[in-house]
Amino acid sequence: QDTAPVLPVPMLNIVNGGRHAENSTDFQEFMVVPAGFDTFGEALRAGVEVYHALKELLRTRGMNTGVGDEGGFAPSLSSNHEAVELVVAAIERAGYAPGTQCFIALDVAASEFLVRESGRYSLSTERAMLTAEELIERYDAWIDKYPIISIEDGMAEDDWDSWQAMTEKLGDRVQIVGDDLYTTNTTRIKKGIDRRASNAVLIKP
């Protein structure tokens, strides 16, 4: 049996929004996940090529190629799904197959746009105010349409019931990652396990 250690699949943040980039999307990060390769080296190369393909794509469309706080591009977009479509187009432009070789991950950072007084989620880019159920339905529709395999912080950090509902509805199809939800806090992680609030956790040593 081969017990040699292997490196995990990289997740490359290539479009920035939210608080990481002004005048961009409501969602914080759109990542390319080159999960359809046999080695880390091949995966990393594909991710880098998609990043550069995205830059060229933005240039040809006359869009801003400035970067956000975490190195992804931060073009001004009219909707959140436009960012997903840009990533899909960049994957294809780089010569890879979306949904077979390269996939998409979202870091929504939904705590940043929850309106606490109403419990609704405000997508200012789209001038939309959604209930948690409507936001989950949006994720569900996106998973059907785009090669999304991971959603991080899709609900606000204290909206436990909505986390539970999201994982119940989507958790058999995609990775539901808690980061802001858990903040590497063992008490909160245990609560998440007990409530089945997510099926993955981001740990920051």
Side-chain angles (χ1 to χ4, degrees), residues 30-104:
F30 300 80
M31 294 168 268
V32 60
V33 186
F37 298 89
D38 293 329
T39 68
F40 183 87
E42 290 173 306
L44 182 60
R45 175 177 176 168
V48 171
E49 289 176 348
V50 171
Y51 179 83
H52 287 287
L54 176 58
K55 186 174 185 177
E56 291 305 312
L57 184 64
L58 294 173
R59 278 180 175 160
T60 61
R61 296 186 182 184
M63 303 174 81
N64 177 27
T65 56
V67 297
D69 292 347
E70 295 197 348
F73 297 107
S76 295
L77 302 173
S78 61
S79 68
N80 294 287
H81 73 264
E82 190 178 354
V84 181
E85 290 176 348
L86 275 173
V87 176
V88 172
I91 291 168
E92 292 173 337
R93 188 183 182 97
Y96 296 107
T100 303
Q101 294 173 304
C102 293
F103 301 81
I104 296 172

Side-chain angles (χ1 to χ4, degrees):
Q1 182 180 356
D2 184 6
T3 57
V6 295
L7 289 170
V9 172
M11 301 171 72
L12 295 91
N13 175 10
I14 63 172
V15 177
N16 284 181
R19 288 204 174 186
H20 289 171
E22 293 183 8
N23 302 318
S24 188
T25 59
D26 302 293
F27 295 179
Q28 186 167 271
E29 296 176 7
F30 300 80
M31 294 168 268
V32 60
V33 186
F37 298 89
D38 293 329
T39 68
F40 183 87
E42 290 173 306
L44 182 60
R45 175 177 176 168
V48 171
E49 289 176 348
V50 171
Y51 179 83
H52 287 287
L54 176 58
K55 186 174 185 177
E56 291 305 312
L57 184 64
L58 294 173
R59 278 180 175 160
T60 61
R61 296 186 182 184
M63 303 174 81
N64 177 27
T65 56
V67 297
D69 292 347
E70 295 197 348
F73 297 107
S76 295
L77 302 173
S78 61
S79 68
N80 294 287
H81 73 264
E82 190 178 354
V84 181
E85 290 176 348
L86 275 173
V87 176
V88 172
I91 291 168
E92 292 173 337
R93 188 183 182 97
Y96 296 107
T100 303
Q101 294 173 304
C102 293
F103 301 81
I104 296 172
L106 311 175
D107 179 359
V108 178
S111 295
E112 300 293 343
F113 54 83
L114 173 70
V115 179
R116 301 194 182 277
E117 294 78 16
S118 66
R120 290 174 179 260
Y121 292 87
S122 174
L123 302 182
S124 58
T125 304
E126 303 170 31
R127 297 177 183 172
M129 189 75 75
L130 305 181
T131 64
E133 292 76 16
E134 288 169 337
L135 187 54
I136 293 169
E137 288 298 328
R138 177 164 298 200
Y139 298 148
D140 189 32
W142 281 18
I143 292 165
D144 285 341
K145 186 174 182 180
Y146 304 113
I148 293 170
I149 60 169
S150 180
I151 299 174
E152 179 181 335
D153 289 331
M155 294 290 148
E157 59 199 46
D158 291 316
D159 195 356
W160 287 94
D161 290 343
S162 298
W163 272 92
Q164 219 168 333
M166 176 174 59
T167 300
E168 184 176 345
K169 186 174 183 67
L170 309 177
D172 62 339
R173 299 161 65 199
V174 298
Q175 183 173 260
I176 304 293
V177 185
D179 178 17
D180 297 342
L181 177 67
Y182 298 129
T183 60
T184 318
N185 178 309
T186 54
T187 301
R188 290 183 69 92
I189 293 170
K190 184 178 186 307
K191 181 177 179 178
I193 293 169
D194 292 342
R195 294 194 59 164
R196 297 185 179 180
S198 70
N199 60 20
V201 58
L202 194 154
I203 302 293
K204 296 177 178 174

